[in-house]
Amino acid sequence: MIENGWIFPDGVEYLCGGDTFCIHDLAVMHFINGLKFQNIEAHKIISTEIDDLFWKYGARNLYANYAIRRLGWIKIGSSILHDIKYAGYDWQLDLIKPYEEHGYRTINMYFSSSNYLEIKCDILLAIKKGT
C-alpha cells in the first residue's frame, strides 16, 4: 500500500511526492507525454480531450480528474483525511478494498463505465519516457 499516489487499472501502485496537488497532475502529464512513444493514437485522443476540457472547465485538477474519470486511475491522497478518489467502475472495488480496510475514506465519483478509455500500454514506462 502507498500513502500518496496512483493505482493504475492493472493494480500497479505509483508513489507520488509530497505536494499532492501538484505531483498527482504531474504524473498524468508525464504519462500523456510518454504515451506518444507507445500509442500515438491514444496520445492524440487524450491530448484533444484535455484541450477541450481545459477550455470548458479550466486547469484546476484537470489532469488528475481526467485520469480518474477517463483512464480509470485511482487517486490516493494524504491530505488531513486519507482519501481515495475513483471513478466507480466495478473492477476498481477490489483495488480499493485494502485501503478501505485501513481506514481510508473513499470518494466514488459515480461515472458510467462508458467513460472509461482503455489504453494498452506500459503506464510506468510512459511516465518515465514523458519526464
Side-chain angles (χ1 to χ4, degrees), residues 44-99:
K44 288 178 187 177
I45 291 168
I46 291 171
S47 295
T48 300
E49 290 179 353
I50 289 285
D51 286 345
D52 291 345
L53 290 170
F54 174 79
W55 291 110
K56 287 180 185 174
Y57 304 109
R60 183 176 169 84
N61 298 319
L62 173 67
Y63 289 92
N65 288 336
Y66 183 85
I68 294 167
R69 178 181 59 86
R70 196 78 165 111
L71 303 177
W73 293 15
I74 299 168
K75 183 179 177 184
I76 309 298
S78 62
S79 59
I80 295 169
L81 296 172
H82 286 11
D83 60 6
I84 298 173
K85 284 187 180 178
Y86 67 106
Y89 305 138
D90 291 344
W91 52 266
Q92 292 178 319
L93 297 177
D94 289 336
L95 297 174
I96 66 168
K97 187 176 177 120
Y99 288 89

